[in-house]
Amino acid sequence: MNRTQLGTTGPTVSRIGLGGMGMSGAYGASDDTESIRTIHAAVDAGISLVDTGDFYGAGHNEMLIGRALKERSRDDVALSVKFGALRGPDGSWQGFDGRPEAVKSALGYSLQRLGVDHIDIYRPARLDPNVPIEDTIGAIVDMIDAGYVRHVGLSEIGSATLRKAAAVHPIADLQIEYSLLSRGIEADILPTARELGVGITAYGVLSRGLLSDTFRGGGRFADDDFRAHSPRFQGTNLERNLGLVEVLASLADERGVTVAQLAIAWALTRGDDIVPVIGVRTSDRLSETSAALDISLSDDDVARIEKAVPADAVAGTRYAAAQMAQLDSEV
């Protein structure tokens, strides 16, 4: 599998990464046995970037990935871990904690759950408005000096915060939502990242399954499925967005590929500094995802795709209002 470096200082990783969130209940029930099979298949296929968060399933996802990686070489995987999101026992969100002492405590638990002696990229899940980003980054740098972390990453922060963080220590990558339906980073955040030599690990490339064949006939979601509460999957918003998917599907049909594959292929054309992180839960979906690497798109192809799905055409925000208000990247 092709590889690329994350930014100018980050690790060299596979051209696509594997996201673990969906394996721990974010989109409804999941199966640990199939999840581990999928992780094994990904690593065996050369996918080296595996992303998780210590709050995914309240630690379940880290323990799951730790179990899976016991049967593979640690050197074959670059582990990316988000921290700082606070959750109650009922799964409710309680805010974010970026205090230096919280950084070091969270890291200790993550190392234990994952069963590893270091994490390749460690990143706050969101900006803590009560803690200067310089202090949070400084604590991660302490952990780099101690040998527990290799690189600093960030997630969902804006250009001004990115500049402050990069002044403390080189930033390997910014993890942020980016897809045909979520292109807000193109105006300011992406140019800033490129100026500073920061890579982009793009999550939500399939817009949580919307850019796929899964919901083309509509969809219903369990209460514990994130999409049941996402504005883009509600009422007339969903109807409008599915109309965009149908137009994209006609282009995919011309190429003999799936909607998901075409959406991933588009993301791959945005630059070698952008690594899509795809949250698949089964080995079949993994095979579909990996096949997108073999799709070659010309400039004309890209133009047709972007005409079919204009940057401002999506209906509904990517998170509910309360969550959007917590995103430094949306300020």
Side-chain angles (χ1 to χ4, degrees):
M1 180 173 291
N2 291 340
R3 296 168 68 83
T4 190
Q5 184 177 12
L6 286 179
T8 57
T9 63
T12 297
V13 298
S14 52
R15 198 62 186 81
I16 59 173
L18 177 68
M21 185 176 74
M23 297 177 181
S24 294
Y27 301 121
S30 56
D31 179 83
D32 283 2
T33 299
E34 179 59 26
S35 294
I36 290 174
R37 182 182 298 116
T38 302
I39 295 168
H40 285 167
V43 175
D44 293 345
I47 294 176
S48 63
L49 179 64
V50 177
D51 179 78
T52 184
D54 61 11
F55 51 96
Y56 290 171
H60 170 269
N61 200 243
E62 288 184 318
M63 290 187 287
L64 178 74
I65 290 172
R67 286 167 55 196
L69 295 185
K70 282 183 179 178
E71 301 179 34
R72 295 296 183 273
S73 171
R74 176 68 179 88
D75 293 338
D76 290 340
V77 177
L79 280 172
S80 163
V81 178
K82 293 181 289 297
F83 69 88
L86 306 177
R87 300 186 70 173
D90 60 351
S92 59
W93 293 97
Q94 303 294 320
F96 302 91
D97 193 346
R99 295 173 302 144
E101 56 267 43
V103 172
K104 298 173 183 180
S105 175
L107 176 61
Y109 283 108
S110 287
L111 291 170
Q112 180 68 28
R113 285 189 290 259
L114 287 161
V116 298
D117 63 2
H118 72 278
I119 288 170
D120 298 280
I121 311 172
Y122 201 50
R123 69 182 82 244
R126 297 289 187 269
L127 175 68
D128 185 338
N130 300 312
V131 178
I133 189 63
E134 294 91 342
D135 292 354
T136 302
I137 299 303
I140 302 175
V141 174
D142 288 345
M143 296 296 91
I144 290 176
D145 293 341
Y148 297 118
V149 173
R150 297 290 185 264
H151 302 278
V152 180
L154 289 166
S155 178
E156 286 290 355
I157 55 90
S159 291
T161 303
L162 180 57
R163 292 186 185 281
K164 291 178 182 178
V168 177
H169 189 275
I171 306 299
D173 69 311
L174 167 62
Q175 188 173 114
I176 196 164
E177 187 164 348
Y178 184 48
S179 73
L180 275 167
L181 296 180
S182 298
R183 296 173 59 186
I185 72 169
E186 293 177 343
D188 181 51
I189 294 175
L190 180 56
T192 299
R194 285 174 167 164
E195 174 193 335
L196 297 173
V198 177
I200 298 290
T201 41
Y203 75 89
V205 170
L206 301 182
S207 198
R208 306 186 189 279
L210 187 56
L211 288 171
S212 71
D213 295 312
T214 305
F215 304 112
R216 288 176 64 185
R220 297 180 63 86
F221 310 101
D223 289 342
D224 60 351
D225 189 321
F226 169 90
R227 292 165 294 198
H229 312 285
S230 170
R232 290 186 178 177
F233 289 86
Q234 304 294 315
T236 56
N237 284 349
L238 180 59
E239 293 178 11
R240 178 175 171 181
N241 293 333
L242 288 176
L244 297 173
V245 175
E246 287 302 317
V247 178
L248 187 63
S250 66
L251 299 181
D253 290 342
E254 288 181 18
R255 298 291 299 259
V257 301
T258 67
V259 172
Q261 288 169 339
L262 194 63
I264 296 168
W266 173 86
L268 289 167
T269 68
R270 300 301 82 203
D272 290 341
D273 56 345
I274 296 177
V275 176
V277 176
I278 314 297
V280 298
R281 295 191 286 176
T282 67
S283 51
D284 287 344
R285 289 297 187 193
L286 177 68
S287 296
E288 178 186 10
T289 295
S290 299
L293 292 164
D294 298 324
I295 299 173
S296 178
L297 297 177
S298 67
D299 290 344
D300 182 61
D301 292 330
V302 171
R304 292 183 66 201
I305 291 169
E306 293 180 353
K307 182 178 180 180
V309 186
D312 59 353
V314 66
T317 54
R318 52 198 182 99
Y319 291 100
Q323 291 174 294
M324 290 294 288
Q326 297 174 342
L327 298 179
D328 183 64
S329 55
E330 295 289 339
V331 174

